[in-house]
Amino acid sequence: MELARSTPDSRSWRDAFRDHARAHPLTALGLGVALVGVLAMAVQSLVHVVIGDASAYVGYALVGGAAGFIGTTLGALPALVLRGVPAKVEDTMLGFAAGMMLAASAFSLLLPGLAAGEDILASAPLGAAVVVGGMALGVLLMLGLDQFTPHEHEKHGPCGPGHEKCGRVWLFVFAIALHNLPEGMAVGVSFAQGDLSVGVPLATAIALQDIPEGLAVALALRAAGFAPGLSVLVAAGSGLLEPLGALFGVGLSSGLALAYPVGLGLAAGAMLFVVSHEVIPETHRNGHQTSATIGLMGGFALMMVLDTTLG
């Protein structure tokens, strides 16, 4: 007797990812290219660790990442007593966070990356090409992760291969991780050469913008029906991706000198992707574009001041 066809719930993760890759071949190819590039950077860093020639700035990266975790946790705590805030206020706060991320990408990642690339290659165009290549890797990585990670999208609902196998709380966790990982990576990369004038402004900016972001995440979980304690716990726990991402970032950018501008470009590309693909559209979907834009400009201006003051 012929066996019954497997149901969606009984299909393996491998089948789900394979079918998803067939449906999105270009994105799958891009993710593969990005992962190969990231793996190559990780291998060269590991080689330098083995021969004792790696940068010793892991402590800086961990402190910077921990600041992001603390900011996320502090931002989430009011959700213990707040059930929600006006949509206009939330969109303004997210716009503020987006503005800080945009300015951080420009002033704390791309500009130092361009300077480092030019210094290493003795050519401004070649240095820029290296940073642009890193940006491309970052965009491909985030585009692939967004497409192939099961997560809860506020506008479109559950998405990604195998999402039907995950509990709803895990779908929210994965969605938050997609936001926090590039922020942590950016902090780690910024400290990879021990230049505090690059790392401190960026880590400060990330920690500050994580406060409204943490509140927005916790309130979104409460609105989805989760208990106050669980909402705050999940939002705060998502901040752990910041120090983990920082370790990953500092590891990728250690070793070969050229890995530093490439890593800065990769982190900038990943952050710019998140801002453009997720944060800004979210702030505009409720009709509060003006308030969100004012918030974005305020965040951008604050990051410029921080970069000038702390850099």
Side-chain angles (χ1 to χ4, degrees), residues 15-185:
D15 292 338
F17 277 88
R18 182 187 60 200
D19 293 346
H20 202 71
R22 287 175 176 172
H24 304 87
L26 292 179
T27 306
L29 177 62
L31 178 60
V33 170
L35 290 177
V36 168
V38 169
L39 179 62
M41 293 174 67
V43 168
Q44 65 83 29
S45 178
L46 181 61
V47 169
H48 283 264
V49 169
V50 172
I51 66 177
D53 191 31
S55 301
Y57 303 115
V58 174
Y60 289 153
L62 279 176
V63 170
F69 166 67
I70 293 171
T72 302
T73 302
L74 291 176
L77 287 176
L80 287 172
V81 294
L82 292 177
R83 186 174 290 273
V85 296
K88 188 175 183 179
V89 174
E90 183 175 353
D91 290 339
T92 303
M93 291 192 306
L94 288 178
F96 177 84
M100 295 201 74
M101 291 175 71
L102 286 175
S105 298
F107 300 123
S108 296
L109 294 173
L110 292 178
L111 289 181
L114 291 170
E118 180 178 1
D119 184 59
I120 293 167
L121 297 173
S123 168
L126 288 178
V130 166
V131 175
V132 170
M135 286 182 64
L137 281 179
V139 171
L140 288 175
L141 179 65
M142 293 309 300
L143 182 62
L145 290 177
D146 180 70
Q147 186 66 248
F148 285 90
T149 301
H151 62 283
E152 177 85 11
H153 195 286
E154 191 168 346
K155 186 175 181 180
H156 304 296
C159 55
H163 65 80
E164 67 278 356
K165 298 176 180 292
C166 299
R168 196 168 181 220
V169 66
W170 282 108
L171 293 176
F172 272 101
V173 169
F174 292 146
I176 301 164
L178 290 175
H179 283 242
N180 287 0
L181 181 62
E183 295 173 7
M185 286 175 55

Side-chain angles (χ1 to χ4, degrees), residues 100 104 108 191 195-206 303 306-311:
M100 295 201 74
S108 296
F191 282 113
D195 189 348
L196 297 183
S197 67
V198 175
V200 171
L202 179 62
T204 303
I206 294 296
M303 181 57 210
L306 289 174
D307 190 74
T308 302
T309 305
L310 302 176

Side-chain angles (χ1 to χ4, degrees), residues 285-300:
R285 74 184 183 93
N286 296 314
H288 304 132
Q289 296 91 330
T290 300
S291 299
T293 300
I294 292 173
L296 185 147
M297 298 302 295
F300 197 98

